[in-house]
């Protein structure tokens, strides 16, 4: 059996296992082990557990639970709703203001966290219930958070850009700076979309109500006095202090990127304890247990998907596909399109970390030979991988959403994220037409 | 039902896998450690008239760095080009592969192979299922955000990443605050300042592009306290299962690549100095006198720690010291 | 997709009449164990955060070496992840795609769920077995990490083995008695700490 047949069988078996309703982690793990048994040296089965352990036992990977803890401390306590009500006081007049605020919140958290699901979880645990409470449709609310969360790997720091920098032998400093422009572009696009979609949902709700339909929270117009506005400010202060504290520790040389995760979590817990008096075990319980549920679910998927990608790599499936594309000697832009298409397909099954590890060594030399700037490509590839995070079957951000809001049907979530996938495509096109969006900033900072 | 379509295990084994953690390239371009693997693959393939074929997995694209050793020992992986000290937690003898100031030149390192230390190390590793095919030593230097790290007094109070158990012990004794920051965070660490200096191989100093965040480099052009054994290793189980002719081809080609490894490692020692100097980084070199200062510390810390493990370890260290 | 049927109401807390006495006892014992372990795991996550904070502050302000903190944090977090896997499973918290479920007739749907649980059980059983083998090997051979601190590796391997074994038991219970295996809903599980 050739690589193509094995590859198709592997992909097919995975789809069957996933859609049969096995938990994602166990589906990926069991497909990997079965293929290992049939196609790999017998001794491979003895290395399964050490491989999974080594994949997980990296301090970079393990920042995810801590970022989730930090998000939960805010999102699952009164702190989160306080923050959102303050935001509502200030941004209530802007149509879709709450949605825009959530996009910004995702971007801010992304500037502290290196991973997308962690960003998604941190902002979503308060953001989704809040948006739904104010009448946003479930799909819309889920879409904003899922898509906003993906900024975690585009805005520095980013686990995947770190891996890419090493694999591509590119400067991490330049790569991080290159992500900022496209990140800002996407924030703007997401925010514009949030406003437009809000207006449409509100128009529909207004029309429905006018014809004797049901009342929607979207129709509520609160007006606030100047006094109320100023009274709301202190409620935002703790977050500003937390944000500045963490950023200062990270960019001021006190904490390494990984340590920032621990520091942020501890600061957030201290904050909710100090300001909201949440410190008794009974009050801490919901925060800690939701952290545990979410991070264990995610870490198990990440651990098992790296086992899955180990088997895929050993069987030379993704490398074979990449080599096949490279071997066709396509013209410059067709090569790029073909490689990105491959990344999209891999994104169906794999998280970004695995995609980079497997494909980078094969695709980067030909891309470089074709004259592409590898810093620029790293950003393009990250955006394509972001798309993978929000589409099924394996989309880590979607799983986070399902954990936060189990009652939103998958269909709604998928429909909700689709427009954002479109906006990501727009961003990729913009980057192809205007490479400077990514390359200008690093060029300016590292000039000379 | 699909049983008939499945290849036998034996067939799946005709293609051998080489895994390593370094950036990937081609036969002629890129990181020399990757090129060494590709050269090895091409030459063995030619030598065995295609009976043995290879797939090279660079940049940890097959499995995590540390996991390679167990996979190799159990026969789940065929080859790895592996930094010895990473295996020190599993096979204590491997700690000798990066003992500060024990080896201070390429000639001295490569002389091990034919001396009692080489024989003893080979025997110890083979007992654990690991076969060394190509001895590769690599020197390393120190990139620093401030003044150059030359004498032990230079590291006092600075935050430095030694990168191995033994280096860390030496630096700690010299008064440094050692950091366990993962290698992929070195750049960010130096950028923000929570790391003042990092020690690693010349080749990695180049690929990490630390010149962008450094003010000074202690190069390994002349002497270095950092010589790491980073051999191309094969699974003994897999080796023993091959016909004698193929075994011979593997051994011959493996040994024939040793001069290539040394030459390229040397070139990188030069290259790193040039690249950093061009970026405006101050480049300094170590000499014998400096080496003696560090050796005095290493002897009381890392060396002692190793020798204290067991009588065998002490004897092994003695053998290594005998190679001047 | 079922993210978590965790909040399906207090009804889930009661053991069904259909389940046999040993299964019910096992279910209660496991639920209690999971509760205790989840609490410990939650504390471990916070402890990891504190350790990493100490690492940053001690290095920056006191110029201390940071040699033990990363590995301590890794052990705590890996341990918390594996040990709480059964607790998460008891709430069906390991996300699955259940899109097909709604399209199937009830009888077929029951079989599908059962088969999904069976495969999960087999996989986790296999993983537990191999974990214990690894743990034993690390203990006998004295494996340690390669840092200057060099803590023994049987510690995290033990957490992995124990956690995966509990997870396997949890799934077994859910196979034997689909309702009994699903533990009481959130809130009750830890509200009394
Ligand atoms: Na980020
Ligand atoms: Na996906």
């Amino acid at each position: 059996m050739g690589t193509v047949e094995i590859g198709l069988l592997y992909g097919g078996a995975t789809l069957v296992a996933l859609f049969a309703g096995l938990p994602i982690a166990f589906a990926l793990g069991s497909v990997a082990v079965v293929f290992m048994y049939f196609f790999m040296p017998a001794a491979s089965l003895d290395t399964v557990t050490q491989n999974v352990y080594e994949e997980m036992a990296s301090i970079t990977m393990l920042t995810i639970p801590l970022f989730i803890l930090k998000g939960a401390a805010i999102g699952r306590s009164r702190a989160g709703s306080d923050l959102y009500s303050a935001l509502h006081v200030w941004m209530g007049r802007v149509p879709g203001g709450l949605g825009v605020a959530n996009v910004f919140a995702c971007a801010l958290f992304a500037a502290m966290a290196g991973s997308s699901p962690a960003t998604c979880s941190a902002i979503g645990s308060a953001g989704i219930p809040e948006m739904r409470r104010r009448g946003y449709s479930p799909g819309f609310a889920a879409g904003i958070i899922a898509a906003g969360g993906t900024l975690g790997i585009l805005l520095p720091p980013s686990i995947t850009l770190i891996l890419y920098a090493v694999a591509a032998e590119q400067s991490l400093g330049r790569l991080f700076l290159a992500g900022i422009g496209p990140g800002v572009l996407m924030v703007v696009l997401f925010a514009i979309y949030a406003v437009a979609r809000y207006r449409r949902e509100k128009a529909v709700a207004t029309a429905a109500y006018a014809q004797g339909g049901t009342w929607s929270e979207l129709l509520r117009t609160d007006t606030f006095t100047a006094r109320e506005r100023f009274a709301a400010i202190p409620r935002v202060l703790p977050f500003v202090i937390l944000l500045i504290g963490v950023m200062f520790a990270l960019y001021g040389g006190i904490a390494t990127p990984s340590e920032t995760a621990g520091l942020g979590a501890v600061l957030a817990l201290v904050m909710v304890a100090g300001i909201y008096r949440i410190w008794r075990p009974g009050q801490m319980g919901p925060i800690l247990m939701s952290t545990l549920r979410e991070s264990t679910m995610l870490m198990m998927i990440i651990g098992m998907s790296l086992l899955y990608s180990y088997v895929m790599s050993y069987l030379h499936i993704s490398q074979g596909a990449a080599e096949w594309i490279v071997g066709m000697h396509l013209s410059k832009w067709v090569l790029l399109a073909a490689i990105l298409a491959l990344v999209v397909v891999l994104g169906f099954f794999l998280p970004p970390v695995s995609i980079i590890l497997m494909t980078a060594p094969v695709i980067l030399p030909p891309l470089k030979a074709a004259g592409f700037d590898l810093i620029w490509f790293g950003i393009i590839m990250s955006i394509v991988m972001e798309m993978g995070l929000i589409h099924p079957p394996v989309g880590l951000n979607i799983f986070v959403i399902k954990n936060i809001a189990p009652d939103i049907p998958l269909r709604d979530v998928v429909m909700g994220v689709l427009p954002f996938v479109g906006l990501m495509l727009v961003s990729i096109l913009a980057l192809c037409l205007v490479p400077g969006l990514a390359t200008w900033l690093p060029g300016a900072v590292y000039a000379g | 039902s699909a049983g008939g379509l499945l290849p036998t295990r034996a067939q799946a084994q005709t293609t051998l896998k080489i895994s390593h953690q370094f950036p990937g390239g081609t036969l002629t371009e890129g990181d020399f450690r990757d090129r060494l693997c590709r050269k090895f693959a091409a030459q063995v393939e030619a030598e065995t008239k295609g009976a043995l074929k290879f797939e090279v997995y660079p940049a940890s694209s097959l499995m995590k760095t540390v996991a390679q050793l167990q996979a190799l020992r159990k026969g789940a992986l065929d080859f790895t080009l592996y930094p010895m000290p990473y295996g020190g937690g599993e096979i204590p003898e491997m700690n000798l592969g990066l003992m500060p100031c024990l080896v201070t030149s390429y000639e001295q390192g490569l002389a091990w192979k034919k001396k009692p230390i080489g024989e003893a190390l080979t025997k110890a590793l083979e007992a654990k299922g690991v076969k060394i095919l190509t001895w590769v030593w690599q020197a390393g230097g120190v990139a620093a955000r401030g003044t150059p790290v030359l004498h032990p007094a230079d590291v006092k109070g600075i935050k430095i990443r030694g990168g191995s158990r033994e280096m860390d012990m030496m630096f700690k004794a010299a008064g440094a605050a050692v950091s366990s920051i993962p290698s992929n965070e070195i750049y960010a660490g130096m950028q923000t300042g929570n790391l003042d200096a990092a020690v690693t191989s010349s080749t990695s100093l180049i690929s990490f592009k630390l010149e962008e965040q450094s003010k000074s480099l202690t190069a390994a052009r002349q002497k270095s306290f950092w010589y790491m054994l980073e051999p191309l290793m094969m699974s003994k189980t897999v080796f023993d299962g091959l016909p004698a002719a193929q075994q011979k081809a593997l051994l011959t080609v493996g040994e024939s690549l040793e001069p290539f490894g040394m030459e390229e490692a040397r070139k990188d020692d030069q290259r790193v100095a040039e690249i950093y100097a061009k970026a405006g980084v101050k480049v300094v070199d170590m000499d014998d006198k400096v080496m003696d200062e560090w050796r005095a510390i290493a002897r009381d810390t890392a060396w002692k720690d190793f020798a204290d493990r067991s009588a065998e370890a002490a004897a092994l260290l003695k053998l290594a010291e005998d190679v001047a | 997709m079922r993210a978590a049927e965790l909040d399906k109401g207090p009804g889930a807390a009661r053991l069904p009449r259909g389940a046999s006495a040993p299964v019910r006892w096992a279910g209660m014992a496991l639920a209690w164990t999971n509760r205790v372990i989840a609490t410990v795991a939650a504390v471990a996550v916070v402890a990891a955060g504190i350790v990493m904070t100490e690492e940053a502050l001690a290095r920056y302000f006191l110029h201390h070496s940071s040699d033990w903190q990363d590995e301590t944090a890794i052990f705590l977090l890996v341990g918390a992840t594996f040990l709480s896997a059964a607790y998460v499973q008891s709430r069906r918290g390991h996300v699955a795609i259940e899109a097909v479920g709604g399209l199937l007739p009830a009888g077929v749907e029951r079989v599908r769920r059962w088969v999904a649980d069976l495969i999960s059980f087999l996989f986790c059983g296999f993983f537990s077995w191999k974990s214990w083998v690894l743990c034993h090997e690390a203990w006998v051979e004295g494996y340690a990490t390669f840092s200057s601190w060099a803590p023994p590796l049987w510690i995290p391997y033990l957490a992995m083995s124990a956690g995966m074994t509990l997870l396997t038991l949890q799934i077994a219970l859910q196979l034997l008695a689909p309702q009994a295996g699903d533990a009481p809903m959130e809130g009750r599980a830890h509200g009394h700490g």
Side-chain angles (χ1 to χ4, degrees):
Chain A
M1 198 184 288
T3 307
V4 178
E5 288 85 355
I6 294 181
L8 290 175
L9 202 62
Y10 198 52
T14 312
L15 285 178
V16 169
L18 289 171
F19 282 99
L22 261 88
I24 311 288
F26 310 147
L28 295 175
S30 41
V31 170
V33 166
V34 167
F35 273 70
M36 207 176 244
Y37 177 77
F38 283 112
F39 297 104
M40 288 166 63
S44 305
L45 292 172
D46 300 332
T47 65
V48 163
T49 46
Q50 205 217 5
N51 266 302
V52 171
Y53 175 78
E54 285 299 334
E55 302 284 9
M56 282 203 203
S58 102
I59 200 70
T60 318
M61 204 65 97
L62 287 172
T63 55
I64 293 175
L66 294 166
F67 280 123
I68 291 177
L69 174 59
K70 175 170 141 197
I74 300 166
R76 307 242 174 203
S77 69
R78 231 178 49 242
S81 45
D82 250 24
L83 176 65
Y84 277 104
S85 58
L87 284 173
H88 180 63
V89 170
W90 278 89
M91 301 196 56
R93 287 260 200 87
V94 182
L98 185 60
V100 175
N102 271 291
V103 173
F104 288 164
C106 283
L108 280 179
F109 198 88
M112 294 187 279
S115 111
S116 287
T119 307
C120 193
S121 153
I123 306 303
S125 45
I128 291 182
E130 199 63 29
M131 283 189 276
R132 293 176 76 186
R133 204 164 65 78
R134 303 213 189 263
Y136 286 52
S137 70
F140 181 28
I144 286 182
I145 297 297
T150 67
L151 293 168
I153 60 167
L154 190 61
L155 292 171
S158 152
I159 295 177
T160 54
L161 285 184
I162 287 175
L163 289 175
Y164 180 88
V166 175
E169 292 190 80
Q170 295 298 312
S171 151
L172 183 62
R174 285 170 191 262
L175 206 53
F176 274 2
L177 288 174
I180 294 177
V184 170
L185 172 71
M186 282 167 63
V187 167
V188 171
L189 288 176
F190 290 178
I192 292 174
Y193 172 77
V195 172
R197 166 95 183 239
Y198 174 89
R199 288 185 163 207
R200 207 181 69 215
E201 286 196 355
K202 185 164 180 177
V204 171
T206 312
Y209 187 64
Q211 287 164 14
T214 49
W215 163 258
S216 161
E217 280 300 316
L218 286 173
L219 304 177
R220 184 184 302 283
T221 42
D222 297 327
T223 44
F224 299 97
T225 62
R227 198 193 181 123
E228 282 170 315
R229 281 169 187 256
F230 280 105
I233 290 180
R235 281 185 251 164
V236 186
L237 268 182
F239 302 93
V240 176
I241 293 168
L242 176 65
L243 191 74
I244 292 175
V246 171
M247 293 282 206
F248 177 71
L250 175 60
Y251 294 102
I254 296 175
T256 68
S258 313
E259 288 160 2
T260 310
L263 185 71
V266 169
L267 279 181
L269 287 175
V270 168
M271 186 188 90
V272 297
I275 297 173
Y276 294 93
R277 306 261 168 252
I278 295 174
W279 54 269
R280 274 194 298 276
Q283 301 166 308
M284 293 281 283
I287 294 174
L288 297 182
M289 289 304 151
S290 73
T291 301
L292 207 56
R293 275 207 317 268
E294 219 150 280
S295 80
T296 297
M297 180 269 289
L298 265 176
M299 292 309 294
M300 290 294 279
I301 293 178
I302 290 172
M304 295 308 170
S305 69
L306 288 161
L307 179 64
Y308 178 82
S309 81
Y310 165 47
V311 173
M312 198 161 171
S313 202
Y314 193 96
L315 298 174
H316 222 64
I317 296 168
S318 37
Q319 286 90 342
E323 280 165 7
W324 175 69
I325 291 175
V326 168
M328 286 193 291
H329 300 288
L330 304 164
S331 64
K332 185 175 172 180
W333 292 97
V334 180
L335 173 73
L336 179 74
I339 283 175
L340 291 181
L342 174 69
V343 175
V344 169
V345 172
L346 292 176
F348 283 116
F349 303 105
L350 296 168
V353 169
S354 302
I355 298 179
I356 292 215
L357 286 178
M358 269 196 282
T359 60
V362 186
I363 61 174
L364 293 178
L367 282 170
K368 193 175 175 184
F372 286 109
D373 177 337
L374 289 189
I375 298 258
W376 171 86
F377 177 74
I379 302 304
I380 297 262
M381 186 169 171
S382 292
I383 301 177
V384 175
M385 290 188 302
E386 282 185 62
M387 291 162 46
L389 286 168
I390 55 174
H391 68 58
V394 179
L396 295 182
N397 285 19
I398 297 186
F399 304 151
V400 172
I401 302 282
K402 286 307 293 182
N403 227 15
I404 297 171
D407 61 312
I408 306 180
L410 176 63
R411 216 189 97 83
D412 287 10
V413 178
V414 172
M415 293 311 284
V417 298
L418 264 185
F420 291 95
V421 173
L423 292 175
M424 290 177 183
L425 278 174
V426 170
S427 307
I428 292 172
L429 271 180
L431 268 169
C432 289
L433 295 173
V434 192
L437 282 171
T439 56
W440 179 81
L441 188 57
V445 170
Y446 285 87
Chain B
S1 61
L5 297 169
L6 305 178
T8 66
R9 302 262 170 84
Q11 274 172 333
Q13 282 265 321
T14 47
T15 300
L16 298 171
K17 314 258 179 188
I18 308 178
S19 159
H20 66 76
Q21 71 193 93
F22 310 104
T26 63
L27 199 56
T28 50
E29 262 176 74
D31 194 297
F32 87 86
R33 298 163 292 197
D34 180 66
R35 276 185 289 140
L36 190 141
C37 295
R38 291 180 196 273
K39 265 179 178 290
F40 175 83
Q43 290 180 19
V44 174
E45 199 174 323
E47 196 90 350
T48 59
K49 311 222 163 26
L52 291 181
K53 288 203 179 314
F54 297 86
E55 275 162 5
V56 180
Y57 288 86
S60 306
S61 54
L62 186 58
M63 58 180 85
K64 278 275 139 76
T65 309
V66 177
Q68 294 175 118
L69 184 62
Q70 277 239 352
L72 194 82
R73 292 177 61 192
K74 292 184 167 147
L77 172 67
D78 308 311
F79 301 87
T80 175
L81 197 139
Y82 190 79
M84 277 274 183
Y86 287 177
E90 202 173 306
I91 305 176
E93 289 87 352
M94 291 180 99
N95 283 308
L96 267 190
L98 176 49
M99 196 56 76
C101 306
L102 184 60
V103 170
T104 56
S105 74
Y106 287 103
E107 289 76 13
Q108 188 188 4
L110 285 172
W112 276 30
K113 186 176 174 180
K114 306 272 193 247
K115 294 274 167 76
I117 174 65
E119 283 155 23
L121 198 55
T122 304
K123 207 169 136 226
L125 290 182
E126 291 202 359
K128 303 278 185 180
V130 177
K131 200 164 174 58
I132 300 185
L133 294 185
T134 313
W135 287 66
V136 183
W137 283 90
Q138 224 193 336
V142 193
R145 292 179 89 228
T147 51
V149 169
L150 203 54
H151 304 278
D154 296 333
V155 298
K156 207 168 169 55
I158 72 167
K159 291 162 277 181
I160 190 166
R161 179 188 186 275
S164 82
R165 174 183 171 80
E166 286 68 29
M167 293 304 291
D168 281 354
M169 287 181 160
M170 181 177 77
F171 286 136
K172 253 197 252 181
V178 302
S179 165
S180 59
I181 192 166
S183 67
N184 59 26
E185 284 188 13
I186 293 178
Y187 186 100
M190 299 253 305
Q191 184 172 34
T192 56
N194 56 48
L195 194 63
D196 297 311
V199 193
T200 184
S201 69
S202 296
T203 318
S204 294
L205 283 172
I206 297 172
S207 59
F208 289 167
K209 297 198 181 298
L210 295 180
E211 74 273 14
E212 292 176 355
Q213 305 299 340
S214 305
K215 290 262 185 316
S216 61
L217 171 77
T218 314
R221 286 179 294 195
Q222 294 169 16
K223 287 277 165 182
S224 176
F225 51 35
W226 196 99
Y227 268 85
M228 183 164 75
L229 181 53
E230 204 172 35
L232 178 63
M233 313 192 300
M234 184 173 183
S235 164
K236 190 157 184 307
T237 324
V238 177
F239 182 86
D240 291 344
L242 294 174
Q246 295 182 0
Q247 291 182 343
K248 189 163 168 280
L250 290 165
L251 293 174
T252 321
V253 173
E255 179 159 17
S256 77
L257 285 170
E258 279 164 7
F260 169 80
M262 180 173 80
E263 238 167 74
E264 294 297 320
R266 270 220 168 98
K267 272 191 212 163
D268 281 348
D269 294 340
Q270 293 290 340
R271 223 154 60 83
V272 68
E274 286 158 22
I275 291 172
Y276 277 58
K278 207 172 146 207
V281 175
K282 179 175 183 196
V283 181
V284 299
D285 292 283
M286 288 193 166
D287 57 23
D288 281 320
K289 199 181 142 290
V290 172
M291 214 47 55
D292 291 340
E293 294 170 20
W294 285 106
R295 191 179 289 111
I297 300 173
R299 208 180 275 279
D300 291 341
T301 53
W303 294 23
K304 184 171 181 303
D305 166 77
F306 183 82
D308 285 350
R309 283 162 187 248
S310 64
E312 293 84 26
L316 213 53
L317 180 66
K318 182 78 196 27
L319 290 181
E321 286 184 68
D322 288 345
V323 185
Chain C
M1 194 186 269
R2 79 184 164 215
E5 292 166 2
L6 29 108
D7 299 323
K8 61 174 153 192
R14 266 175 256 123
L15 297 173
R17 296 208 173 106
S20 63
V23 171
R24 288 170 62 179
W25 281 107
M28 284 184 330
L30 206 55
W32 184 83
T33 311
N34 280 338
R35 229 174 276 177
V36 173
I37 287 183
T39 310
V40 174
V43 172
V45 174
V46 177
I50 294 172
V51 165
M52 289 170 77
T53 305
E54 193 274 347
E55 174 176 24
L57 300 183
R59 194 186 49 242
Y60 187 79
F61 294 106
L62 307 173
H63 295 282
H64 284 179
S65 287
S66 50
D67 44 5
W68 59 272
Q69 295 93 334
D70 275 1
E71 280 174 338
T72 305
I74 286 174
F75 284 13
L76 286 167
L77 289 169
V78 171
T81 298
F82 280 108
L83 285 170
S84 63
Y87 161 81
V88 173
Q89 176 65 23
S90 73
R91 282 153 178 75
R92 295 278 179 186
H94 291 290
V95 176
I97 297 172
E98 297 234 314
V100 179
L103 310 172
L104 299 174
V108 182
E109 167 63 8
R110 245 197 325 276
V111 173
R112 182 192 66 78
R113 280 187 169 234
W114 195 81
V115 170
D117 278 355
L118 180 67
I119 297 174
S120 302
F121 167 76
L122 291 174
F123 170 72
C124 295
F126 169 80
F127 200 102
S128 311
W129 166 43
K130 291 294 181 188
S131 300
W132 285 113
V133 172
L134 179 67
C135 185
H136 178 254
E137 196 182 315
W139 171 265
V140 172
E141 305 245 331
Y143 293 165
T145 71
F146 61 91
S147 71
S148 60
W149 181 42
L153 275 168
W154 62 261
I155 300 173
Y157 291 165
L158 180 66
M160 178 164 78
S161 310
M164 288 306 288
T165 305
L166 271 175
L167 173 61
T168 310
L169 290 175
Q170 179 65 49
I171 301 174
L173 196 69
Q174 286 166 328
L175 268 171
L176 290 172
Q179 291 303 309
D182 295 356
M185 67 176 284
E186 201 52 29
R188 307 184 155 211
H190 48 75
H192 52 69

